[in-house]
Amino acid sequence: MKLGKNILALTALMIATPALSDMTTSSLVRAAAKQNWGEVKRLICPPELIYALNCPDTYGMTVLMYAAARADLDTVKMLVKHGAKIDSTKSRLDWTVLMYAIYMGKTTGNYEIARYLIQEAPDLLEHTTKVLYPEQVIQQLSDGKKISDALADAKVPNTSLDAFAKQHGAPASLIQLIKSR
């Protein structure tokens, strides 16, 4: 009972003394307490984070590409919610985020990330790829080839996304969804 009275007294003191409140709470809590929702959004997802989410690494991969290739649907949704762009950016393998999701589906048997990306950005379906299997590039790199040569050797004529999905073992329902968009 005494602890409850002390917490209540401290809370009342913090409300009455803004300087003390500023010293004991984070910027995020202060912004929320003042109902400054623009500041809350800025603190949760600052512009530099949005830039970092969409800035490719030396392999041309974005955070969303890595997540689509290796993560679960909740992680992909969280990244998109916080500013990761579902677009036609291609990695050095010439793959979009959707292609990584399809490839991950081939490996795990779970195509829910690919379905989600198609629903969120159906314009991704217009893009084609020239590299069908990253294993081709990896093998050639391990044989001592330069990456530019390995990529050039691994290229085949442009392939439609539905053909790409089919070649990577996507279920008929996903291929049908791709064709319907």
Side-chain angles (χ1 to χ4, degrees):
M1 189 71 148
K2 193 172 187 178
L3 180 62
K5 286 182 181 180
N6 288 341
I7 291 173
L8 187 58
L10 180 59
T11 303
L13 180 62
M14 287 172 64
I15 291 170
T17 315
L20 178 61
S21 178
D22 286 350
M23 292 185 321
T24 59
T25 59
S26 71
S27 300
L28 182 60
V29 172
R30 283 194 307 275
K34 294 176 183 176
Q35 297 183 3
N36 185 346
W37 305 123
E39 180 68 1
V40 168
K41 287 177 188 172
R42 188 191 68 73
L43 289 168
I44 290 173
C45 195
E48 58 273 11
L49 176 61
I50 293 171
Y51 175 77
L53 280 175
N54 296 304
C55 187
D57 66 7
T58 56
Y59 302 104
M61 299 275 293
T62 64
V63 174
L64 189 58
M65 286 177 181
Y66 281 113
R70 300 184 181 137
D72 65 0
L73 181 60
D74 292 337
T75 302
V76 170
K77 285 181 175 180
M78 183 215 40
L79 289 169
V80 170
K81 179 181 176 186
H82 285 91
K85 292 181 183 174
I86 306 172
D87 60 14
S88 60
T89 299
K90 292 185 177 183
S91 70
R92 289 182 73 180
L93 283 177
D94 201 38
W95 281 22
T96 66
V97 65
L98 179 57
M99 293 168 191
Y100 284 101
I102 290 170
Y103 189 75
M104 190 275 298
K106 172 189 175 188
T107 307
T108 65
N110 184 347
Y111 290 87
E112 64 183 3
I113 294 174
R115 284 186 183 92
Y116 169 75
L117 293 171
I118 291 168
Q119 290 168 351
E120 291 296 309
D123 60 315
L124 279 178
L125 301 176
E126 298 172 13
H127 301 280
T128 59
T129 184
K130 294 177 183 168
V131 177
L132 297 179
Y133 297 100
E135 295 94 347
Q136 295 171 332
V137 176
I138 293 167
Q139 179 60 47
Q140 291 181 17
L141 289 174
S142 67
D143 291 344
K145 284 194 174 186
K146 293 180 186 176
I147 189 158
S148 56
D149 295 335
L151 286 169
D153 290 348
K155 291 187 178 190
V156 295
N158 280 354
T159 303
S160 66
L161 193 54
D162 58 316
F164 176 89
K166 188 174 183 178
Q167 286 178 311
H168 285 84
S173 61
L174 182 65
I175 294 168
Q176 203 54 30
L177 178 62
I178 291 170
K179 287 181 177 181
S180 72
R181 297 289 171 142

